[in-house]
Amino acid sequence: MSAESQLRLLSLNCWGLKFVSKNRSERISAIVDSIARSSHDIIALQEIWVYADYEKVAAAVQHRLPHAKFFYSGALGAGLAIFSRFAFVETSIHPYALNGAPIDIAGGDWFVGKAAASVVIIHPLLGKVQIFNTHLYAKGGEDGPEYRRAHRLVNAWEYAKLARQAAELGRYVIGLGDFNSIPITLPMTIIRDHAALHDSWAVVHPDNDSIAALSPRDAIVKHGITADSPINTWSAGKPHLTTTFWGKRLDYILYRQPRGQAYPQLRASECNVVLTERAPGHKFSYSDHFGLEATLDIVLGPDQAEASSTYHSGTTDDTQTELSKGTVMSVIKALTDCYRFSLERSKRELFVFTLCLALLVGVAIGTAWLPHSWINPIFIIFTVVVAWAGTTMLYEGFLYGNWERNALMNVIEELEIYQKGLDIQAGRRSPT
């Protein structure tokens, strides 16, 4: 195939937070060397938070991928960057409405402002292609009540709407990134069904989910494991799902046709997990995630489609899919439960604020009867700590609490109207 009849894509979470990520400089240098030798047309990086690291990558690939964008969001940056062989005609970033709580300093999602970044390129065969790069909210895992993943569900809904809108504008859509969700979870169901996106790994490896992996290396090849693999030095000590999977598939390359356009058609012909080896010259892995690459073939018309018998079957046309009623109700229930939990948490935090306020009043009155001057510094330190705690609880309980609940209510009402719209359309289509 000619160079213009394929798109070669790479997605990688670089784990590049300054002062926190271990051996960041050495790992980024190794990633830069690897990317510079690759032949991808589009590269999407996540957790590339240090601008100097982005500049290293941009300089290394400039001869082959001259068009690059570093995206800004939140207080510390989105950590997202896109590099392309094709010129950008539009760029945008959509910070997600919910990204965890500001009090969760260890998690850090609120500070970096998780987002969906995108560029629009002009491809010689496809025309406008909108390429998304994202990193969804991390906490919540897959176990336990669904409301623990409410913020990720909000991210997924917003991402799916953006991808769907791009396709309805007549653009091809390609989505890359770390979605922090295994394939069977509700966030990925929302993204696949509402945006009608095809999962490159599932298209190329349609039957692998039913095949048991005999080893961690086998799991990478058969199940597309990109995170929490025992082979990765940064996750070797973590507990894993089961010995059947040996880790998680959290990174994806997704794609779809424009609405109402059957050809040219994108079809995934290859999809592989890459950068699974140790960084050259070091005893550690490139990142705490492996990379994911895919090749999308561009089929120009029905003749070419019929002639190609090597593609895996599956829905690869422009059919618009919708969320099932069960999925919508599951999401609404999770968001409603999170709303109630948020309300109870705010009440507790505002109670702590009131208690701190009462303590400060007591300290102010008590200073008049201090028996010894050496107690003054202790009272000052105590006052500062109580004032900080009270201010934090006021912000967390009132400002952030209302912010979170308003965002949850917006999505709940959007989904209710969406379901009502589907019911109305189904009623109109049904025979009378």
Side-chain angles (χ1 to χ4, degrees):
M1 282 189 165
S2 67
E4 301 303 343
S5 63
Q6 288 185 327
L7 280 173
R8 299 200 68 232
L9 312 162
L10 172 68
S11 178
L12 174 66
N13 181 321
C14 298
W15 191 36
L17 189 61
K18 195 171 185 177
F19 306 126
V20 175
S21 301
K22 297 177 181 178
N23 299 104
R24 179 186 58 80
S25 295
E26 297 91 337
R27 291 188 299 98
I28 292 296
S29 295
I31 289 170
V32 168
D33 292 342
S34 177
I35 288 176
R37 296 191 304 269
S38 70
S39 58
H40 300 100
D41 300 302
I42 304 288
I43 295 176
L45 301 181
Q46 304 87 45
E47 294 198 17
I48 186 86
W49 277 302
V50 180
Y51 189 77
D53 292 343
Y54 159 78
E55 289 182 310
K56 288 180 184 178
V57 178
V61 302
Q62 200 277 334
H63 66 287
R64 191 171 45 81
L65 306 177
H67 310 285
K69 180 74 173 76
F70 180 85
F71 294 89
Y72 302 91
S73 180
L76 302 177
L80 303 173
I82 298 176
F83 307 85
S84 169
R85 184 162 68 89
F86 308 97
F88 301 156
V89 295
E90 293 180 34
T91 67
S92 64
I93 185 165
H94 175 91
Y96 294 127
L98 292 177
N99 277 311
I103 201 171
D104 183 16
I105 297 174
D109 291 66
W110 188 84
F111 297 94
V112 302
K114 295 288 182 69
S118 75
V119 301
V120 178
I121 63 171
I122 300 292
H123 187 274
L125 298 179
L126 300 173
K128 283 190 174 183
V129 182
Q130 188 155 356
I131 298 162
F132 289 92
N133 183 17
T134 194
H135 188 187
L136 299 193
Y137 178 64
K139 284 197 169 183
E142 292 82 35
D143 301 324
E146 196 67 56
Y147 77 81
R148 294 175 57 194
R149 288 170 290 282
H151 286 209
R152 200 186 307 161
L153 290 171
V154 171
N155 296 173
W157 172 247
E158 292 179 310
Y159 181 90
K161 288 196 300 178
L162 292 170
R164 180 170 171 145
Q165 288 164 5
E168 289 174 346
L169 289 174
R171 299 169 179 175
Y172 290 83
V173 176
I174 297 174
L176 309 94
D178 174 3
F179 290 79
N180 272 314
S181 307
I182 62 175
I184 60 173
T185 54
L186 202 51
M188 293 312 300
T189 300
I190 293 170
I191 289 170
R192 283 193 304 265
D193 291 356
H194 189 63
L197 289 165
H198 308 299
D199 178 353
S200 295
W201 179 268
V203 171
V204 176
H205 309 276
D207 302 319
N208 281 18
D209 284 346
S210 61
I211 302 174
L214 301 178
S215 68
R217 182 70 62 182
D218 198 30
I220 294 171
V221 175
K222 292 180 178 177
H223 299 300
I225 297 303
T226 57
D228 289 349
S229 169
I231 290 176
N232 191 304
T233 61
W234 305 111
S235 57
K238 291 183 178 180
H240 305 103
L241 291 177
T242 65
T243 53
T244 304
F245 294 100
W246 299 100
K248 301 177 182 179
R249 180 157 82 93
L250 302 181
D251 302 83
Y252 298 80
I253 296 177
L254 312 169
Y255 65 93
R256 69 161 290 174
Q257 308 296 112
R259 182 73 188 275
Q261 182 174 331
Y263 292 97
Q265 190 173 96
L266 289 175
R267 290 188 176 182
S269 58
E270 290 184 42
C271 190
N272 302 293
V273 179
V274 295
L275 298 176
T276 59
E277 67 276 12
R278 306 286 172 89
H282 300 286
K283 296 182 179 181
F284 46 76
S285 300
Y286 285 93
S287 175
D288 60 350
H289 281 237
F290 299 138
L292 184 70
E293 67 175 12
T295 298
L296 303 184
D297 291 346
I298 301 171
V299 182
L300 296 179
D303 293 340
Q304 290 90 336
E306 291 171 3
S308 177
S309 59
T310 60
Y311 295 113
H312 297 282
S313 61
T315 304
T316 53
D317 58 14
D318 67 328
T319 302
Q320 183 65 61
T321 59
E322 304 289 355
L323 297 177
S324 69
K325 192 166 187 175
T327 296
V328 173
M329 296 309 296
S330 294
V331 176
I332 289 176
K333 182 181 184 307
L335 299 185
T336 302
D337 289 346
C338 185
Y339 186 98
R340 292 170 182 160
F341 178 81
S342 174
L343 193 60
E344 291 301 316
R345 187 192 64 227
S346 287
K347 289 178 180 178
R348 293 193 299 270
E349 289 164 344
L350 291 175
F351 174 78
V352 174
F353 162 72
T354 304
L355 184 61
C356 289
L357 191 62
L359 283 172
L360 287 174
V361 172
V363 168
I365 296 172
T367 54
W369 289 278
L370 289 178
H372 305 287
S373 59
W374 59 265
I375 300 180
N376 278 333
I378 299 175
F379 264 66
I380 291 172
I381 294 172
F382 179 77
T383 301
V384 170
V385 171
V386 173
W388 172 82
T391 303
T392 301
M393 289 298 100
L394 177 61
Y395 178 88
E396 178 78 6
F398 179 71
L399 294 179
Y400 171 71
N402 284 320
W403 179 343
E404 179 184 40
R405 289 188 292 277
N406 285 341
L408 290 168
M409 187 54 67
N410 276 336
V411 177
I412 289 170
E413 292 184 353
E414 283 179 17
L415 288 166
E416 289 174 343
I417 293 171
Y418 169 78
Q419 184 58 56
K420 184 178 179 181
L422 292 181
D423 292 341
I424 291 171
Q425 293 176 68
R428 285 178 179 175
R429 289 193 296 265
S430 61
T432 56

